[in-house]
Amino acid sequence: MMRNHHDWENLEESRHISLALYQAINATGMHLSRAAKELGVTEWLLYKWTDCDSANNNFPLYLLRRFTKRISDELIKVVAKRCGYLLVPEPRVNGKVEDEALDLICKELRENTEALERFKDAISDKKVTPKEMRALEREIDDAIATLLLLREYARAFSVAPINPNLEVVE
């Protein structure tokens, strides 16, 4: 079978992506017409892509980046998860590593420890509600992003010897 640029694996995957697309737009509070405008498509076409009952509701993959940048990163997170990956934003470090930045990382790590406490509280009744799960997923994503930021700062120390604020250790 010949596949095109927007074929998903099967109908189940297609429906799952349609639902995720609908939920991602809905979570922003953005009206479908505005989301369609941001993507450069018609409202009818976007409606068709969010219709889980339609047999031909394939959201084109080439629009995934635009959707992520202009509307929400929730859809790309769902796609990554369906493929067995976890997606968190990649931190950017501009080469300036100052005590203030390191203090911020320490503060973030403390907040992530608090997220572990919230997780403990959430599972104390042996169940996690959907609302608690969404909050925990956000907290965990933030924790991962903070660790990635810490790694990027460490890399800045090792690859930026021309910056007078940094010292390279061999």
Side-chain angles (χ1 to χ4, degrees), residues 52-82:
C52 296
D53 296 325
S54 173
N56 186 15
N57 56 358
N58 295 321
F59 179 76
L61 290 175
Y62 70 88
L63 287 175
L64 192 55
R65 181 169 190 250
R66 185 180 300 166
F67 186 90
T68 302
K69 294 286 187 191
R70 296 186 181 181
I71 299 174
S72 169
D73 64 355
E74 290 303 312
L75 182 60
I76 197 167
K77 286 180 179 180
V78 168
V79 172
K81 194 174 221 176
R82 297 292 289 188

Side-chain angles (χ1 to χ4, degrees), residues 24 31 34 48 57 62 72-73 75-76 83 93 95-97 115 123-124 131 136 145 153-154 169:
H31 191 273
R34 179 158 173 246
K48 185 177 113 179
N57 56 358
Y62 70 88
S72 169
D73 64 355
L75 182 60
I76 197 167
C83 296
V93 175
K96 281 186 137 183
V97 179
I123 63 169
S124 65
K131 183 179 179 181
L136 286 170
Y153 275 109
V169 178

Side-chain angles (χ1 to χ4, degrees), residues 8 12-25 27 59 61 64 67-68 72-88 134 137 141:
W8 296 96
E12 178 191 346
E13 287 294 319
S14 181
R15 286 184 173 155
H16 188 84
I17 297 300
S18 291
L19 178 61
L21 177 65
Y22 172 78
Q23 290 173 338
I25 294 169
F59 179 76
L61 290 175
L64 192 55
F67 186 90
T68 302
S72 169
D73 64 355
E74 290 303 312
L75 182 60
I76 197 167
K77 286 180 179 180
V78 168
V79 172
K81 194 174 221 176
R82 297 292 289 188
C83 296
Y85 293 90
L86 175 64
L87 182 78
V88 293
R134 284 189 302 274
E137 284 180 344
D141 286 350

Side-chain angles (χ1 to χ4, degrees), residues 6 46 60 72 77 101 159:
H6 60 273
L46 186 55
S72 169
K77 286 180 179 180
V159 298

Side-chain angles (χ1 to χ4, degrees), residues 119-129 132:
F119 172 73
K120 181 181 162 191
D121 293 343
I123 63 169
S124 65
D125 60 356
K126 305 286 190 249
K127 63 181 177 182
V128 178
T129 66
E132 289 173 323

Side-chain angles (χ1 to χ4, degrees), residues 21 24-26 28-50 59-60 62-63 66-67 70-72:
L21 177 65
I25 294 169
N26 194 41
T28 67
M30 188 180 290
H31 191 273
L32 202 62
S33 61
R34 179 158 173 246
K37 192 175 206 172
E38 291 291 331
L39 292 173
V41 299
T42 65
E43 185 176 352
W44 176 85
L45 191 54
L46 186 55
Y47 174 78
K48 185 177 113 179
W49 291 333
T50 60
F59 179 76
Y62 70 88
L63 287 175
R66 185 180 300 166
F67 186 90
R70 296 186 181 181
I71 299 174
S72 169

